[in-house]
Amino acid sequence: MDKFKFEKLIIWQRAMDFGETIDGLANSFPEKEKFNLSSQIRRAADSIALNISEGSIGQTNLEQKKFLGCAIRSLAEVVTCLYKSEKRNYITKPKFNQLYEEAYQLMNMLIAFRKNVK
């Protein structure tokens, strides 16, 4: 029932799943982070899939590349928030490593996808 081009993109599907994983993680942060780190990491993670979808609908190739660049920058923001989370002992080192690896794989997919936009 995919009606939008981006729904078929594996990279969008992965970004959607990653965003949900990050949302669940942010739920475990202390209450004092509700409007700080929790909010920031959620917004950055959601922005990845949002930029992929926005760039894929009726955009020129140059605009699509721009939105993919925004998605990559949002992913970098998530990684920085993960570092902050580990330093503040909100996540364990193994959890950090797992999410860092997921982020790294997603970044490589985004870079490859952007290179293939003609």
Side-chain angles (χ1 to χ4, degrees):
M1 173 141 182
D2 300 333
K3 302 216 181 218
F4 294 93
K5 178 181 166 182
F6 62 83
E7 292 174 289
K8 296 180 178 104
L9 297 174
I10 292 170
I11 195 166
W12 177 80
Q13 295 166 11
R14 290 275 302 269
M16 288 289 290
D17 291 343
F18 186 69
E20 295 311 302
T21 299
I22 294 298
D23 181 65
L25 174 73
N27 284 334
S28 70
F29 290 176
E31 183 65 25
K32 72 177 186 172
E33 293 289 3
K34 183 176 182 181
F35 298 109
N36 295 314
L37 190 60
S38 295
S39 176
Q40 190 70 31
I41 197 169
R42 279 186 175 107
R43 286 182 288 118
D46 286 346
S47 183
I48 300 165
L50 291 168
N51 277 294
I52 293 167
S53 61
E54 190 172 355
S56 73
I57 299 293
Q59 304 293 332
T60 65
N61 290 344
L62 188 59
E63 286 175 315
Q64 186 174 15
K65 284 184 177 190
K66 180 185 116 191
F67 281 106
L68 290 169
C70 290
I72 292 167
R73 287 189 292 281
S74 292
L75 182 57
E77 191 175 338
V78 171
V79 170
T80 300
C81 289
L82 289 172
Y83 272 107
K84 288 285 190 185
S85 302
E86 185 198 10
K87 287 185 178 293
R88 295 177 186 175
N89 295 313
Y90 301 159
I91 60 174
T92 63
K93 184 67 172 175
K95 186 66 171 176
F96 170 86
N97 290 339
Q98 174 203 340
L99 294 170
Y100 184 90
E101 185 59 33
E102 285 181 44
Y104 184 72
Q105 290 174 14
L106 186 55
M107 181 192 66
N108 286 330
M109 291 175 71
L110 283 163
I111 290 169
F113 187 72
R114 186 172 65 171
K115 282 182 182 174
N116 285 323
V117 173
K118 305 281 188 246

